[in-house]
Amino acid sequence: SEYASLHKLLMVFASEGLEEYLALTSANAGLVEGLGLNPDECLKSIRFLTLASLAAGQDAVSYELIAKKLQVSEDDIEVWVIDGITNKVIDAKVDQLNRSVVINRGSQRLLTEGQWEDVQARLSQWTSSVRNLLGTIKSVRQEHEILAQQQ
């Protein structure tokens, strides 16, 4: 059962959020401390991970949604976002006027099979483009050498 709880804790940190973390730690009192972990640091980390998940694939996220998911006051959102930017969890800008966070990039916590396939397709395309570019450079270089020899 100890390993089952540890596995569940790892899965929460890998792919879930604050709500699941709080449910797990409530149901398993002393779990975090028993593993020699600092509960405050774990809570801070899962909030950052939850923020990253909120940002992934979004153009903007409202203060209201962030406050709800992080279970903090809307007054504290800017501090969390700035800390998230500083810790490279997200790349974003705070839009105080619209009370939202404009997302440039959110960190993916876990890649799905489809996302891995997209990565593979993009890398294959990139490899093909680089090969074509190298071929073009080689061809131009050879033409240049031929012209230089003719002069």
Side-chain angles (χ1 to χ4, degrees):
S1 177
E2 175 187 344
Y3 293 116
S5 296
L6 175 59
H7 180 262
K8 179 62 179 163
L9 181 64
L10 290 172
M11 293 307 297
V12 166
F13 273 95
S15 62
E16 297 180 26
L18 177 63
E19 188 175 326
E20 293 83 4
Y21 172 80
L22 293 175
L24 178 65
T25 55
S26 292
N28 296 282
L31 171 66
V32 172
E33 296 89 344
L35 295 168
L37 301 171
N38 180 323
D40 293 332
E41 286 299 316
C42 287
L43 188 59
K44 183 178 179 180
S45 294
I46 197 66
R47 280 191 168 121
F48 279 137
L49 292 169
T50 301
L51 181 61
S53 293
L54 280 172
Q58 301 294 321
D59 292 329
V61 183
S62 70
Y63 278 25
E64 180 183 3
L65 181 60
I66 295 171
K68 179 181 175 188
K69 293 294 185 177
L70 299 186
Q71 297 184 18
V72 296
S73 162
E74 283 190 33
D75 295 336
D76 295 332
I77 296 304
E78 290 178 18
V79 171
W80 278 100
V81 170
I82 291 168
D83 284 349
I85 294 167
T86 302
N87 289 300
K88 299 189 185 327
V89 173
I90 59 171
D91 179 11
K93 294 179 184 173
V94 175
D95 181 350
Q96 292 174 325
L97 186 61
N98 292 314
R99 300 191 54 75
S100 69
V101 177
V102 178
I103 308 297
N104 296 323
R105 178 195 52 81
S107 301
Q108 283 288 57
R109 292 173 59 191
L110 198 60
L111 293 178
T112 64
E113 186 175 337
Q115 290 167 322
W116 278 114
E117 289 169 358
D118 287 345
V119 169
Q120 181 182 13
R122 288 181 185 185
L123 285 174
S124 294
Q125 183 179 21
W126 181 79
T127 301
S128 176
S129 296
V130 169
R131 281 190 184 124
N132 290 338
L133 180 61
L134 289 173
T136 302
I137 291 171
K138 183 178 179 180
S139 174
V140 168
R141 183 178 287 156
Q142 288 172 346
E143 288 177 21
H144 180 70
E145 288 173 359
I146 290 171
L147 287 174
Q149 289 173 355
Q150 291 175 350
Q151 292 179 355

